[in-house]
Amino acid sequence: MGIKEWVVPQDKAFFDLFDEMAGTVVAAADLLVDFVENFENVKEKCRQVKQLEHRGDDITHQIYEQLNRTFITPLEPEEISRLASALDDILDYIDGTAQQMYSYGITETDDSMVQLAKLIQLSVVEIEKAVTGIRSIKDPGLIEERCIEVNRLENIADNVLGHAIMDIFKTKDAITIIKLKDIYENLEMATDKCEDVANVLSDIAIRHS
Amino acid sequence: MGIKEWVVPQDKAFFDLFDEMAGTVVAAADLLVDFVENFENVKEKCRQVKQLEHRGDDITHQIYEQLNRTFITPLEPEEISRLASALDDILDYIDGTAQQMYSYGITETDDSMVQLAKLIQLSVVEIEKAVTGIRSIKDPGLIEERCIEVNRLENIADNVLGHAIMDIFKTKDAITIIKLKDIYENLEMATDKCEDVANVLSDIAIRHS
Amino acid sequence: MGIKEWVVPQDKAFFDLFDEMAGTVVAAADLLVDFVENFENVKEKCRQVKQLEHRGDDITHQIYEQLNRTFITPLEPEEISRLASALDDILDYIDGTAQQMYSYGITETDDSMVQLAKLIQLSVVEIEKAVTGIRSIKDPGLIEERCIEVNRLENIADNVLGHAIMDIFKTKDAITIIKLKDIYENLEMATDKCEDVANVLSDIAIRHS
């Protein structure tokens, strides 16, 4: 068996796991958008998001196991570990915000939540494409474009958060402020985590092109 | 002097420091449980927790110094540094919550705090055993079992937090919500940090077995 | 061309970028002190801090690009990446707090804010000197002294925060508590990030001396 045949199946395993992870993150973002747009059956929808979060934990665990068993990896071990953990962080924030909206007893969602959820959704779709792109980095420019777009979306989310915070302090009571502030901030944190993933992907693209 | 004799004393130094660190974390968790169960002499108890936190900083510093001086380390430098910093994070959250309860002027503790403190205590006892286990990894399965238990405890803590949060929003005034929410969240964060330590230990067990 | 000539310009590029980054952090801290001492033209001053934060992002990006393009680096790649990211974190907290004070509609600042901002300023001046020191580590003791001072300042900031928190819970209404607590905590977090930078610099000094 040549070294190439020996290496390639393990490369494939990593890229397959990352594709599966990116797909899980996109599925969670889709649920989140539905969650804030149609805020009903909240408990059941939370359960579905939590299921995706658990699936993400499993995939992350498999990536680390694969990493610990493999001598020659398609990317640097540190890149694999940073990427896996950053993708998992997005999922944790999506899940965490959904669970928070449930345990805070929120009765209705608002425009800021919908905007932030949609920015998360747009970001993770870009990320999914960039993750697919690292399987065979022919054109690092394409990955870079996705990452620039994720950064642009994060800046918008930051602005949406700033305005949402200004609004709640103008008009609401303290308990509502506590609840909404946490929810807005956590949604925005999810876009920060998307930016972290984009930065890792961008480094990988430059280093391996 | 053979290479073995030259290497072994330094290995011993690392493992001794990690044992001492794990012991310090357990001592802090014991104090925390006493703190929330017998909420009296708060200022003095806070001082004792802070002392352990300082001792933890010293040990962590010694681990890094040892790491910077040593060429051949028993674990990867990155593993040593991740483990040291993750153990220190647990201690920081235990200390931070105790100081917070003091500066928030909390007058009594509640069941959720006791449950969370006990979950931290159970987690760090498992961690202490797993840390001892890396000294000579004969049976990675034993370390893995400890880590699975820490993950299980973290899930319970997450549920305790969710219910505690639901309760405070039902019944309390805004200022009490602000205080209790911070305290519950920081106690739960300590169990998240325990999970981080368990993940590092689990990686070490797989890689070195 | 000898290897030395080929290596040295890239070393210079790294150290120049780090000096520029440290200078940007100091400029932001100076603006922050002016911001809390003379709390007027808030929107314009926020814009200036944000500009420095963007400049910091650019410099950080250049450091990573340089790192991805360079085979032989004057410091370990991981040290470069930790230092760049830790410096950027200080800047993010300085900027974040300024933006927060604006969006929270704060109408006046207080002594605790001024004290914390000045502690940040003192810390980053130490950091700037220590960063200059890594260009040619003749005397690691000098870098170490700066780092010990940053740790001392962080402990003071921690105490200032504790007392500031005790005060707001004694006298203020819930909405004011929410606002001030976030601002104090984020200012103190900036000094934590200064401590992180000091720890990285201290490791570098020991390892390369």
Side-chain angles (χ1 to χ4, degrees):
Chain A
M1 190 173 77
I3 195 162
K4 201 160 168 210
E5 290 94 292
W6 177 70
V7 172
V8 167
Q10 311 215 43
D11 286 9
K12 195 175 170 308
F14 277 113
F15 293 127
D16 285 354
L17 285 166
F18 276 124
D19 281 351
E20 202 185 333
M21 186 66 182
T24 307
V25 175
V26 168
D30 291 346
L31 277 182
L32 182 71
V33 169
D34 170 64
F35 189 73
V36 294
E37 282 193 323
N38 308 291
F39 198 63
E40 54 202 18
N41 307 321
V42 171
K43 196 168 182 181
E44 167 58 20
K45 287 180 181 179
C46 272
R47 206 191 48 77
Q48 290 170 18
V49 177
K50 177 62 78 189
Q51 267 190 323
L52 289 178
E53 195 266 333
H54 284 315
R55 194 196 295 172
D57 281 348
D58 284 348
I59 302 168
T60 306
H61 192 66
Q62 287 175 53
I63 293 172
Y64 277 97
E65 276 195 337
Q66 184 74 21
L67 185 57
N68 287 329
R69 276 197 313 258
T70 310
F71 286 98
I72 302 171
T73 48
L75 307 169
E76 298 297 312
E78 206 213 314
E79 291 168 345
I80 291 174
S81 135
R82 274 176 71 205
L83 182 57
S85 134
L87 283 165
D88 199 42
D89 284 348
I90 304 174
L91 211 43
D92 283 349
Y93 273 93
I94 291 175
D95 171 56
T97 317
Q99 308 306 325
Q100 200 167 48
M101 290 171 78
Y102 172 67
S103 48
Y104 282 11
I106 296 286
T107 52
E108 52 174 17
T109 53
D110 62 30
D111 275 0
S112 302
M113 295 178 201
V114 173
Q115 283 178 55
L116 289 167
K118 285 189 175 173
L119 287 165
I120 295 170
Q121 190 182 38
L122 289 170
S123 301
V124 299
V125 167
E126 294 298 316
I127 284 170
E128 190 180 36
K129 288 176 194 159
V131 165
T132 307
I134 57 167
R135 191 180 283 266
S136 118
I137 306 175
K138 285 166 207 150
D139 188 353
L142 277 177
I143 296 174
E144 194 62 23
E145 268 172 45
R146 305 290 178 201
C147 296
I148 290 167
E149 177 62 9
V150 173
N151 280 285
R152 196 183 67 84
L153 294 166
E154 194 278 330
N155 278 325
I156 298 174
D158 208 36
N159 275 322
V160 172
L161 174 66
H163 285 102
I165 296 283
M166 287 179 86
D167 285 349
I168 48 169
F169 275 111
K170 274 181 208 147
T171 58
K172 311 281 180 171
D173 70 299
I175 294 182
T176 307
I177 289 174
I178 295 171
K179 292 179 180 180
L180 294 185
K181 199 168 81 69
D182 270 3
I183 291 164
Y184 296 152
E185 284 176 352
N186 281 323
L187 288 170
E188 200 274 334
M189 278 298 286
T191 68
D192 282 349
K193 296 300 169 184
C194 291
E195 197 178 12
D196 288 349
V197 170
N199 289 339
V200 180
L201 288 168
S202 171
D203 286 351
I204 291 173
I206 295 170
R207 215 176 287 190
H208 294 268
S209 62
Chain B
M1 190 175 77
I3 195 160
K4 204 164 166 208
E5 291 93 292
W6 178 70
V7 172
V8 168
Q10 313 216 42
D11 285 9
K12 194 174 171 310
F14 277 114
F15 293 128
D16 286 353
L17 286 166
F18 277 125
D19 281 351
E20 202 185 332
M21 186 66 182
T24 307
V25 175
V26 168
D30 291 347
L31 278 182
L32 181 71
V33 169
D34 170 63
F35 188 73
V36 294
E37 282 193 325
N38 308 292
F39 198 65
E40 54 203 19
N41 306 324
V42 171
K43 197 167 180 181
E44 167 57 21
K45 287 181 180 179
C46 272
R47 206 192 48 79
Q48 291 171 18
V49 176
K50 177 61 79 188
Q51 266 189 325
L52 290 177
E53 195 265 332
H54 285 316
R55 192 195 298 170
D57 281 349
D58 284 348
I59 303 168
T60 307
H61 193 65
Q62 287 176 51
I63 293 171
Y64 277 98
E65 276 195 338
Q66 184 73 22
L67 184 58
N68 288 328
R69 276 197 313 257
T70 311
F71 286 99
I72 301 171
T73 48
L75 306 169
E76 298 296 311
E78 205 213 315
E79 291 168 343
I80 291 173
S81 135
R82 274 175 72 203
L83 182 57
S85 133
L87 284 165
D88 198 42
D89 284 347
I90 304 176
L91 211 43
D92 284 348
Y93 273 94
I94 291 174
D95 171 55
T97 316
Q99 309 306 326
Q100 199 167 50
M101 290 171 79
Y102 172 66
S103 50
Y104 283 10
I106 295 287
T107 51
E108 52 175 16
T109 52
D110 62 30
D111 276 359
S112 303
M113 293 177 201
V114 173
Q115 284 178 54
L116 289 168
K118 286 190 174 173
L119 288 165
I120 295 170
Q121 191 183 36
L122 290 170
S123 301
V124 299
V125 167
E126 295 297 318
I127 283 171
E128 191 182 34
K129 289 177 194 160
V131 165
T132 306
I134 57 167
R135 192 180 280 266
S136 116
I137 306 175
K138 286 166 204 148
D139 189 351
L142 278 176
I143 296 174
E144 194 62 24
E145 267 172 44
R146 307 289 178 202
C147 296
I148 289 168
E149 177 62 7
V150 173
N151 280 285
R152 196 184 68 84
L153 294 165
E154 193 278 329
N155 277 325
I156 298 174
D158 208 36
N159 273 322
V160 172
L161 175 66
H163 285 102
I165 296 284
M166 285 179 87
D167 285 350
I168 47 169
F169 275 112
K170 275 181 205 148
T171 58
K172 311 279 179 171
D173 71 298
I175 293 182
T176 307
I177 289 173
I178 294 171
K179 293 179 179 179
L180 295 184
K181 199 167 82 69
D182 270 3
I183 291 164
Y184 297 151
E185 284 175 353
N186 281 324
L187 289 170
E188 200 274 334
M189 277 301 286
T191 68
D192 282 351
K193 296 302 170 183
C194 291
E195 196 177 14
D196 287 351
V197 171
N199 289 339
V200 180
L201 289 168
S202 171
D203 286 352
I204 291 174
I206 296 169
R207 217 176 283 190
H208 294 270
S209 60
Chain C
M1 189 174 76
I3 196 162
K4 202 159 168 213
E5 291 93 293
W6 177 70
V7 172
V8 168
Q10 312 215 42
D11 286 10
K12 195 175 171 307
F14 278 113
F15 294 127
D16 286 353
L17 285 167
F18 277 123
D19 281 349
E20 202 184 334
M21 187 65 183
T24 307
V25 175
V26 169
D30 292 345
L31 278 183
L32 182 71
V33 169
D34 170 64
F35 189 72
V36 294
E37 281 194 326
N38 309 291
F39 198 64
E40 54 201 22
N41 306 323
V42 172
K43 195 168 181 179
E44 168 56 21
K45 288 181 179 178
C46 272
R47 205 191 49 77
Q48 291 171 18
V49 177
K50 176 63 78 190
Q51 266 188 324
L52 290 177
E53 194 266 333
H54 284 316
R55 194 196 296 172
D57 282 348
D58 283 348
I59 302 168
T60 306
H61 192 66
Q62 286 175 52
I63 292 172
Y64 278 97
E65 276 195 338
Q66 185 72 22
L67 185 57
N68 289 328
R69 274 196 315 257
T70 310
F71 287 98
I72 302 170
T73 48
L75 307 169
E76 298 297 312
E78 205 213 315
E79 291 168 344
I80 292 174
S81 135
R82 274 177 71 205
L83 182 56
S85 134
L87 284 165
D88 198 41
D89 284 349
I90 304 175
L91 210 43
D92 283 349
Y93 273 92
I94 291 175
D95 171 56
T97 316
Q99 308 307 324
Q100 200 167 49
M101 289 172 78
Y102 172 66
S103 49
Y104 283 10
I106 296 286
T107 51
E108 53 175 16
T109 53
D110 62 29
D111 275 359
S112 303
M113 293 176 201
V114 173
Q115 284 179 53
L116 289 167
K118 285 188 175 173
L119 288 164
I120 295 169
Q121 192 183 36
L122 290 170
S123 302
V124 299
V125 167
E126 295 297 318
I127 283 170
E128 190 182 34
K129 289 175 194 160
V131 165
T132 307
I134 57 168
R135 192 180 281 264
S136 118
I137 306 176
K138 287 165 206 151
D139 188 352
L142 278 177
I143 295 174
E144 195 62 22
E145 267 171 46
R146 307 289 179 202
C147 296
I148 289 167
E149 177 62 7
V150 173
N151 280 284
R152 196 184 67 84
L153 294 166
E154 193 277 330
N155 278 324
I156 298 174
D158 208 35
N159 274 323
V160 173
L161 174 66
H163 286 103
I165 296 283
M166 284 179 88
D167 286 348
I168 47 168
F169 275 112
K170 275 180 205 149
T171 58
K172 312 278 179 171
D173 71 300
I175 293 181
T176 307
I177 290 173
I178 295 171
K179 292 179 180 180
L180 294 184
K181 198 167 82 70
D182 270 4
I183 291 164
Y184 296 151
E185 284 176 351
N186 281 323
L187 288 170
E188 200 275 335
M189 278 297 288
T191 68
D192 283 349
K193 296 300 170 184
C194 291
E195 197 177 13
D196 288 350
V197 170
N199 289 337
V200 180
L201 288 168
S202 173
D203 287 351
I204 291 173
I206 296 170
R207 216 176 286 190
H208 294 268
S209 63

